[in-house]
Amino acid sequence: MKHLLGIKGLTTEEIIEILDRAERMKHEVLEGGKKDNLLSGKSVITLFYENSTRTRLSFELASKYLGATAANITASGSSVEKGETLEDTGKTIDEMGADAVIVRHASSGAPHMLSNYTNASVINAGDGMNEHPTQALLDFMTMREKYGSFEGLKVSIIGDVKHSRVARSNIYGLTKLGAEVVLCAPTTLMPAEIERLNVEVTTDADYAAHNADVIMGLRIQLERQKSGLFPSVREYHKLFGIDSRRLSLAKKDAIVMHPGPVNRGVELSADVADGPQSVIGGQVTNGVCVRMAVLDMLAGGNK
Ligand code: CP
């Protein structure tokens, strides 16, 4: 593996290898306090054309925990604002000798394009509505910690599936790993023909929640509400929000996940987001572990 551009192109064995490595990172580096030098002498650059808290920070921390030199560029404040192309930005980074570039971009396919312009390993940190592979990997790690395996798990993903790169990466991976995936959204927020990806589709959130092992809420992009994709936020919460009544339809020990940032009272009620079945905090921690594993695999000595 030279790049990590999506989950779609990974084999099941590659996914499991990343998860195993992430688990080792968790025990040895995060919990064991053993900061490692696997990336000593390596340079990692985060290139973010869209806002981020979790992904960018966890990549920076992961790089530093493994001994790399980490630097970041954001669109605002960089020469992108002066009209520099992705190609020229890639070449410029290359001239500085980066070993890995982590890119988030509003356009689907931008990381793939960047990988043609640089010798560094390119890691997709979210491209448009396409994929967010490291988010899905941290989601898989969190599910595996709870259940041990994926075979037969019912994972219900509820929310704005249409605009969600998180949903796409989860679908590609979970179906490979043997989970049963149920997607639930208003029809205006469900992509056409998504059933072809081996998932079940419903507009009934109670049905989606019933007997689920995992309920994953997706962020409603409130900025898109101006275009009238659903009648009102209050109505959305009633029909698709995960509150304690809807959660009670799931298996007794089901977990609640969300990639963040959460709109409390919209995708999740506050008591569910902060309740005992929520693993949202664990997802954030696992994000650092997965990103250490991916950086080690792509830029470390253990490719
Ligand atoms: N889940 C996720 O991608 O969060 P950020 O936008 O904060 O990175």
Side-chain angles (χ1 to χ4, degrees):
M1 262 169 75
K2 163 91 174 158
H3 308 290
L4 177 63
L5 301 175
I7 299 292
K8 193 177 182 180
L10 295 184
T11 62
T12 307
E13 292 70 30
E14 284 169 333
I15 295 172
I16 298 292
E17 164 63 19
I18 297 171
L19 299 185
D20 289 347
R21 204 178 282 227
E23 241 171 56
R24 285 202 298 278
M25 292 290 178
K26 185 165 189 170
H27 296 137
E28 290 171 18
V29 183
L30 274 197
E31 293 169 355
K34 181 179 151 226
K35 301 284 183 277
D36 218 311
N37 285 326
L38 290 164
L39 295 182
S40 174
K42 305 284 181 180
S43 304
V44 175
I45 292 180
T46 54
L47 173 59
F48 274 58
Y49 291 83
E50 282 189 329
N51 294 341
S52 169
T53 298
R54 280 151 280 268
T55 312
R56 197 179 113 184
L57 200 52
S58 58
F59 266 117
E60 284 180 25
L61 287 175
S63 309
K64 287 176 182 165
Y65 289 163
L66 296 186
T69 301
N72 77 78
I73 316 173
T74 53
S76 100
S78 75
S79 288
V80 170
E81 291 222 316
K82 300 179 205 161
E84 184 160 60
T85 62
L86 191 59
E87 178 172 0
D88 283 340
T89 304
K91 286 178 177 164
T92 303
I93 288 170
D94 225 18
E95 293 300 335
M96 296 186 195
D99 296 286
V101 183
I102 295 134
V103 60
R104 170 171 287 190
H105 202 285
S107 298
S108 300
H112 308 65
M113 197 186 281
L114 184 66
S115 69
N116 295 322
Y117 304 135
T118 174
N119 292 314
S121 289
V122 176
I123 301 171
N124 181 357
D127 63 323
M129 296 193 284
N130 182 37
E131 283 226 43
H132 191 350
T134 55
Q135 175 67 45
L137 288 164
L138 74 87
D139 293 338
F140 304 157
M141 181 176 177
T142 308
M143 289 178 212
R144 196 172 75 157
E145 278 180 344
K146 166 76 180 177
Y147 295 110
S149 78
F150 301 90
E151 206 59 49
L153 278 190
K154 178 177 173 181
V155 181
S156 293
I157 301 177
I158 304 177
D160 183 355
V161 179
K162 184 172 182 169
H163 300 105
S164 177
R165 50 200 179 201
V166 174
R168 254 167 219 81
S169 286
N170 264 281
I171 293 166
Y172 291 136
L174 287 169
T175 50
K176 283 179 203 190
L177 292 163
E180 176 197 330
V181 180
V182 178
L183 304 179
C184 178
T187 47
T188 48
L189 295 178
M190 187 68 83
E193 301 193 17
I194 191 89
E195 298 90 338
R196 287 183 177 200
L197 297 181
N198 228 356
V199 293
E200 187 181 351
V201 171
T202 180
T203 53
D204 181 344
D206 283 358
Y207 172 78
H210 182 71
N211 222 20
D213 298 286
V214 177
I215 299 187
M216 183 186 295
L218 295 176
R219 186 174 82 86
I220 280 296
Q221 298 173 28
L222 290 170
E223 61 274 22
R224 295 184 204 282
Q225 175 51 15
K226 292 188 199 85
S227 54
L229 292 170
F230 52 89
S232 70
V233 167
R234 194 189 301 173
E235 197 158 4
Y236 177 87
H237 182 65
K238 185 163 170 253
L239 293 173
F240 298 97
I242 301 149
D243 57 12
S244 50
R245 183 201 65 78
R246 191 155 280 147
L247 179 57
S248 72
L249 303 174
K251 286 197 182 141
K252 207 160 71 59
D253 63 347
I255 52 173
V256 176
M257 302 178 72
H258 192 293
V262 177
N263 296 303
R264 279 181 166 68
V266 184
E267 303 100 40
L268 307 181
S269 60
D271 61 330
V272 166
D274 302 322
Q277 287 170 270
S278 168
V279 294
I280 296 169
Q283 286 176 266
V284 174
T285 306
N286 288 344
V288 180
C289 309
V290 155
R291 284 154 185 147
M292 282 193 279
V294 169
L295 283 168
D296 177 33
M297 283 177 92
L298 299 185
N302 296 315
K303 283 188 192 216

